Amino acid sequence: MTRFATGVGPAIALAEETVAPMVEAPMETPVVVVQPLLDALQDRERRISEREVAMEDRMRALSLAEVELSERLDELRAAEESLIAAIALSETANDDDIARLTAVYENMKPADAAGLFSQMAPDFASGFLMRMAPESAAAVLAGLDPQTAYSISVIIAGRNTNAPTE
């Protein structure tokens, strides 16, 4: 027991030395340790909220742009259809006018028609003669100057030389 009693004193003194600094040292309160972390988390939450708002604004802007783009595309399609219809009408009207004029030339006296055809450019005259009935075209060609008739005939004969054969 004496041994035990003599050894207990220094052990207690040693324990007091070890515990004393821990007790005497000021403990940081949880608020002091947690506050910077809480501030950082709140700052991060604020930045995320700002990003979310910016993303929502951007999504709304993109949605509006998509609607506007779709409307413009529909307008362009309608304009294209209108243009195609106008071109088709113009081509039909042009073909109708040429057919009517060809019929007029066919119904003229061959000598009178030959007088008109002799004043036309050979390219232009050949287009009408190709549309005319062969008998009417032959009568008009017969009334033309031989050189003019030859020029028109060469143009008619060479019209399809460059057409693909395959």
Side-chain angles (χ1 to χ4, degrees):
M1 218 62 156
T2 333
R3 243 193 233 173
F4 179 71
T6 55
V8 170
I12 290 175
L14 182 62
E16 284 178 1
E17 287 176 15
T18 315
V19 171
M22 288 197 304
V23 172
E24 290 176 17
M27 278 186 89
E28 292 185 32
T29 61
V31 173
V32 173
V33 173
V34 173
Q35 192 60 44
L37 181 60
L38 183 60
D39 290 343
L41 287 173
Q42 286 174 341
D43 186 47
R44 183 174 181 205
E45 177 67 27
R46 181 188 50 78
R47 286 192 319 259
I48 290 172
S49 294
E50 289 173 356
R51 279 186 176 169
E52 285 177 350
V53 168
M55 292 285 280
E56 288 172 2
D57 289 345
R58 190 168 190 194
M59 290 301 289
R60 278 193 294 276
L62 285 172
S63 179
L64 290 173
E66 184 178 349
V67 168
E68 186 175 334
L69 184 62
S70 178
E71 289 172 357
R72 298 276 187 219
L73 190 57
D74 290 342
E75 289 173 9
L76 283 173
R77 285 184 183 135
E80 181 182 26
E81 289 172 6
S82 176
L83 182 61
I84 289 170
I87 289 172
L89 179 64
S90 175
E91 287 176 354
T92 302
N94 188 34
D95 287 344
D96 290 346
D97 291 345
I98 291 174
R100 185 178 188 95
L101 192 53
T102 301
V104 168
Y105 291 147
E106 282 180 324
N107 290 318
M108 290 176 72
K109 292 180 182 173
D112 293 337
L116 286 173
F117 276 80
S118 66
Q119 298 301 313
M120 293 180 193
D123 294 352
F124 190 69
S126 67
F128 285 111
L129 288 170
M130 284 296 299
R131 290 174 171 254
M132 293 173 76
E135 300 81 26
S136 298
V140 171
L141 277 174
L144 291 173
D145 171 57
Q147 185 61 36
T148 304
Y150 174 75
S151 297
I152 293 171
S153 297
V154 168
I155 291 170
I156 291 172
R159 263 197 146 133
N160 295 317
T161 57
N162 292 330
T165 56
E166 293 180 18

